[in-house]
């Protein structure tokens, strides 16, 4: 489990049975893609925060909410790609969803990798997510960085029946040569990851349904394990509830169907004490039916929000989710640092907590989760001094074992 991971495997278009994913080879000629990139280099990307992770988005909008941008530089860019977007991709999107009312909603460019502006930092990728405001998304490669299927856009094939792990090793990268496009529907979990010293640029097209505005929850999102979670995201983002259905109820129903993203979201809401008492009770009943977190890792009563948050993260972590692993390990490590068990000499309990926290943080760091990587390095740097009681610290046998676990995990990054 702590061994080196083979993280960069290509998506196999020929073997995939998914009807939600479509490859369009040679949408742009190489010369057209190069012309687009020449125009891109003349303009500066936006640095506004991304809605998924808050990092600089490094994007450039050509069409927003169906309206074409009218500045000279943008207009020249749009004229280069207009026929491919409206003449080629739009009919495919309509065919994929069997809906003639599908329209082009947004067209924008994105850059990842070595590109940066004003020292704001490079952006190597974006975590796995769903496009809740795009019924179909098209991504066109403007370089050959993703040609071998080891960089760029990836997916993890989760569906209503599939309980495949969302661990980083399950990512499959779309092999796209310059000018190729891949199209996927709203149910497709996807993200971007680019190796150091590579620069990846792509044109992205979001398709919507005529008459459905961005500030509402799209009615194309069906109910179910994925759909309820995506509805919850859209509902929270738009501050608009679907009838009487609250987004928290949507997360609960999605988590009950086995969605690790929904379970992770519930963990965060419980930690923030944002759920109503009635919903806390429902989540508590749900978690009682699932494999439990070791008692030493709970904080207080099993049904309090803090303990339920950890139990929810644990369920998500069992599916390989790095964010849940990091949150869980960080909370338990906090108990060790700021709780009373070290001072009271509860050596055996602290040993168990340390090992569990180290495994959680280490497995998240192994997947490249930045907060977990930093946490692991800090623990390794101060492993002999971070316990508040020197006498108890001398008797805790797991310190060296913790160091070995964390070293093994971060050595695979």
């Amino acid at each position: 489990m702590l061994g080196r991971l083979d993280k960069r495997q290509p998506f196999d278009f020929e073997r995939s049975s998914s009807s939600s994913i479509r490859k369009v080879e040679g949408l742009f000629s190489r010369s057209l893609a190069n012309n687009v990139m020449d125009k891109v280099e003349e303009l500066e990307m936006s640095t506004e925060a991304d809605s998924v992770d808050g990092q600089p988005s490094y994007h450039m909008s050509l069409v927003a909410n169906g309206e074409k941008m009218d500045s000279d530089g943008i207009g020249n860019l749009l004229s280069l790609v207009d026929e491919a977007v409206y003449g080629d991709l739009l009919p495919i999107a309509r065919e994929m969803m069997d809906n003639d009312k599908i329209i082009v909603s947004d067209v924008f460019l994105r850059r990842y990798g070595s590109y940066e502006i004003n020292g704001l930092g490079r952006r190597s990728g974006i975590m796995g997510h769903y496009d809740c405001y795009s019924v179909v998304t098209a991504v066109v490669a403007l370089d050959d960085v993703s040609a071998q299927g080891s960089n760029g856009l990836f997916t993890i094939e989760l569906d209503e029946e599939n309980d495949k792990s969302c661990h980083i090793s399950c990512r499959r990268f779309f092999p796209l040569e310059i000018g190729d496009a891949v199209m996927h529907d709203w149910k497709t979990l996807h993200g971007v990851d680019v190796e150091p010293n590579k620069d990846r640029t792509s044109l992205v097209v979001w398709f919507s349904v005529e008459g459905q505005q961005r500030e509402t929850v799209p009615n194309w999102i069906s109910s179910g394990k994925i759909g309820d979670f995506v509805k919850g995201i859209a509902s929270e983002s738009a501050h608009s509830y679907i009838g009487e259905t609250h987004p928290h109820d949507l997360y609960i129903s999605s988590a009950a169907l086995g969605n690790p993203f929904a379970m992770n979201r519930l963990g965060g809401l419980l930690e923030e004490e944002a759920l109503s008492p009635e919903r806390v009770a429902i989540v508590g009943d749900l978690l009682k039916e699932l494999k439990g977190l070791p008692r030493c890792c709970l904080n207080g009563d099993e049904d309090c929000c803090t303990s339920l948050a950890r139990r929810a993260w644990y369920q998500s972590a069992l599916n390989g989710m790095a964010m849940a692993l990091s949150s869980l390990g960080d909370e338990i490590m906090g108990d060790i640092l700021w709780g009373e068990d070290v001072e009271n000499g509860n050596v055996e309990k602290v040993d168990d907590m340390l090992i569990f926290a180290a495994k959680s943080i280490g497995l998240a760091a192994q997947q490249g989760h930045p907060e977990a990587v930093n946490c692991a390095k800090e623990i390794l740097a101060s492993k002999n001094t971070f316990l508040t009681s020197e006498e108890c610290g001398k008797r805790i046998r797991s310190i060296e074992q913790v160091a070995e676990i964390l070293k093994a995990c971060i050595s695979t990054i």
Side-chain angles (χ1 to χ4, degrees):
M1 194 171 187
L2 301 181
R4 185 169 296 278
L5 300 176
D6 193 1
K7 306 174 191 174
R8 297 184 177 274
Q9 293 293 307
F11 181 87
D12 192 331
F13 284 101
E14 293 184 0
R15 290 190 177 184
S16 174
S17 60
S18 175
S19 61
S20 301
I21 297 172
R22 185 85 58 88
K23 184 177 184 180
V24 184
E25 294 184 342
L27 178 71
F28 287 6
S29 66
R30 182 171 290 270
S31 61
L32 174 57
N34 288 333
N35 286 340
V36 171
M37 280 303 301
D38 289 341
K39 296 292 184 184
V40 170
E41 296 294 352
E42 297 173 1
L43 302 170
E44 189 168 280
M45 294 284 187
S46 168
T47 59
E48 69 179 59
D50 190 280
S51 61
V52 174
D53 58 13
Q55 294 188 52
S57 57
Y58 294 153
H59 82 277
M60 183 187 302
S61 290
L62 309 185
V63 178
N65 291 327
E67 298 294 327
K68 296 181 179 181
M69 303 291 100
D70 57 6
S71 66
D72 290 340
I74 298 298
N76 293 336
L77 257 177
L78 190 55
S79 67
L80 290 175
V81 304
D82 190 88
E83 178 58 32
V85 170
Y86 292 90
D88 297 323
L89 293 178
L90 180 56
I92 297 174
R94 288 173 171 171
E95 185 267 327
M96 284 178 66
M97 303 306 293
D98 191 23
N99 188 341
D100 288 338
K101 292 187 177 181
I102 287 179
I103 59 172
V104 174
S105 172
D106 294 77
V107 181
F108 52 95
L109 292 131
R110 276 288 177 92
R111 300 192 75 166
Y112 296 93
S114 58
Y115 180 83
E116 66 174 320
I117 298 177
N118 299 329
L120 291 175
R122 300 176 181 180
R123 190 176 192 194
S124 63
I126 187 170
M127 69 183 76
H129 63 283
Y130 297 97
D131 291 339
C132 58
Y133 292 115
S134 177
V135 64
V136 174
T137 297
V139 178
V140 187
L142 296 178
D143 49 52
D144 282 318
V145 168
S146 59
Q148 303 304 313
S150 58
N151 278 281
L153 187 69
F154 66 80
T155 187
I156 296 176
E157 293 187 273
L158 296 175
D159 57 38
E160 298 298 332
E161 291 78 33
N162 186 353
D163 289 326
K164 183 184 287 187
S165 171
C166 52
H167 191 277
I168 190 174
S169 62
C170 294
R171 291 176 174 178
R172 295 296 179 263
F173 289 83
F174 295 113
L176 301 173
E177 296 184 359
I178 185 170
D180 289 347
V182 62
M183 303 179 72
H184 63 78
D185 70 5
W186 65 269
K187 297 188 296 296
T188 303
L189 175 65
H190 62 285
V192 174
D193 189 53
V194 178
E195 292 175 299
N197 302 319
K198 295 183 183 295
D199 188 6
R200 181 244 186 192
T201 306
S202 60
L203 180 80
V204 182
V205 184
W206 281 3
F207 296 93
S208 182
V209 176
E210 187 176 359
Q212 297 193 31
Q213 302 302 316
R214 179 69 55 83
E215 57 268 20
T216 62
V217 178
N219 63 20
W220 64 69
I221 304 175
S222 58
S223 298
K225 182 169 71 175
I226 296 174
D228 285 352
F229 175 70
V230 177
K231 282 182 182 180
I233 296 172
S235 182
E236 278 198 304
S237 175
H239 305 288
S240 172
Y241 301 162
I242 307 166
E244 298 299 321
T245 306
H246 193 282
H248 295 174
D249 295 322
L250 292 165
Y251 294 137
I252 291 171
S253 63
S254 178
L257 292 170
N259 190 323
F261 287 85
M263 192 65 80
N264 180 65
R265 180 71 182 116
L266 287 177
L269 291 169
L270 285 160
E271 181 196 29
E272 298 164 5
E273 297 186 353
L275 295 182
S276 68
E278 295 78 13
R279 294 187 179 99
V280 170
I282 292 171
V283 175
D285 289 340
L286 170 62
L287 291 170
K288 285 178 182 178
E289 304 298 321
L290 303 173
K291 188 175 182 180
L293 182 68
R295 184 69 184 85
C296 68
C297 297
L298 299 178
N299 186 326
D301 184 81
E302 288 192 8
D303 293 323
C304 72
C305 284
T306 300
S307 292
L308 288 176
R310 297 180 185 188
R311 290 165 66 188
W313 281 326
Y314 182 62
Q315 295 304 318
S316 183
L318 291 176
N319 279 277
M321 180 163 282
M323 186 183 297
L325 283 161
S326 180
S327 297
L328 183 58
D330 184 66
E331 286 291 310
I332 295 169
M333 193 63 73
D335 284 354
I336 298 168
L337 291 173
W338 315 117
E340 299 179 352
D341 289 303
V342 173
E343 293 294 336
N344 293 339
N346 297 331
V347 176
E348 185 174 342
K349 180 181 179 182
V350 173
D351 268 325
D352 291 340
M353 292 169 70
L354 269 173
I355 294 296
F356 192 94
K359 288 181 177 179
S360 298
I361 293 168
L363 290 172
Q366 189 183 52
Q367 297 188 57
H369 190 276
E371 293 179 6
V373 171
N374 291 336
C375 184
K377 290 179 178 179
E378 289 176 6
I379 293 171
L380 286 171
S382 60
K383 67 183 179 69
N384 294 321
T385 60
F386 78 95
L387 293 174
T388 56
S389 168
E390 182 178 353
E391 182 60 32
C392 183
K394 290 178 181 177
R395 292 186 287 136
I396 292 177
R397 299 181 298 277
S398 59
I399 296 294
E400 291 304 323
Q401 191 175 352
V402 165
E404 291 174 6
I405 290 170
L406 294 177
K407 285 178 182 177
C409 288
I410 63 177
S411 69
T412 65
I413 300 173

